[in-house]
Amino acid sequence: MSSRFNTVRMKYIYICGASAVLSIVLLFVMYQIMRLAYRLMFHEAVWFTNLVHWSINHIGKKPIGLLMGGGLFLLFFWVRSQKISEDMQALVRGTNELANGRNPAPIQVLSGGELRQLSDQINAIAALTANKDCSEMKVKSEEPSC
């Protein structure tokens, strides 16, 4: 994939679109199942019929659908964006350790593109500082001690 399309911004656009499509499809399937169940099974359950009638008459079918669709969208977006969030947290931990003068363990990210490039560069910086520290320790050990 081209590096132009393998960016964090494009990943979030993809996650947003996929979450919207998933929530719309799941909402449609839930609506069809509830419609079928209401017609076939729930006539004996008076409390459920009264709850559905009250909800439709007092709140409305569209606001309930929008609320459920929005909730599903937020849930899917939160779940699908967790991978990028974990990668960002790993990068933050690594840069924090570098800033405090410690060499971090190699940073592994699951994402590609910008986040992978950033982790590779941080790992290269950590390797350079580790090599520099190692060469300084060798020079100090070769000096005669008193």
Side-chain angles (χ1 to χ4, degrees):
M1 183 180 267
S2 175
S3 64
R4 217 167 111 188
F5 296 110
N6 199 5
T7 63
V8 175
R9 181 182 297 164
M10 290 302 290
K11 287 178 186 176
Y12 273 112
I13 289 172
Y14 162 73
I15 289 170
C16 185
S19 298
V21 169
L22 280 172
S23 62
I24 288 170
V25 168
L26 189 60
L27 192 62
F28 178 74
V29 168
M30 286 174 31
Y31 175 75
Q32 294 299 329
I33 289 172
M34 286 302 295
R35 198 172 106 187
L36 181 67
Y38 180 76
R39 286 185 182 182
L40 297 178
M41 292 186 267
F42 288 128
H43 286 294
E44 293 85 27
V46 178
W47 65 271
F48 184 77
T49 306
N50 288 337
L51 178 66
V52 170
H53 285 258
W54 183 89
S55 300
I56 291 172
N57 290 332
H58 287 83
I59 300 171
K61 190 165 66 171
K62 286 184 184 178
I64 291 173
L66 288 173
L67 185 65
M68 288 178 62
L72 285 172
F73 171 78
L74 291 175
L75 178 70
F76 286 134
F77 188 85
W78 181 66
V79 168
R80 293 178 63 96
S81 65
Q82 188 64 34
K83 182 176 88 168
I84 295 175
S85 176
E86 289 171 356
D87 290 344
M88 293 295 284
Q89 289 173 355
L91 289 170
V92 166
R93 280 192 302 271
T95 55
N96 190 20
E97 287 183 20
L98 274 176
N100 290 332
R102 295 185 301 266
N103 277 337
I107 300 170
Q108 301 294 325
V109 295
L110 299 174
S111 302
E114 295 171 333
L115 296 179
R116 170 100 15 104
Q117 289 174 353
L118 189 58
S119 71
D120 291 342
Q121 291 172 357
I122 292 171
N123 289 335
I125 291 170
L128 286 174
T129 57
N131 289 340
K132 183 180 173 186
D133 292 342
C134 184
S135 64
E136 287 177 0
M137 290 178 71
K138 285 181 183 178
V139 169
K140 287 182 182 179
S141 64
E142 290 175 0
E143 291 178 358
S145 57
C146 297

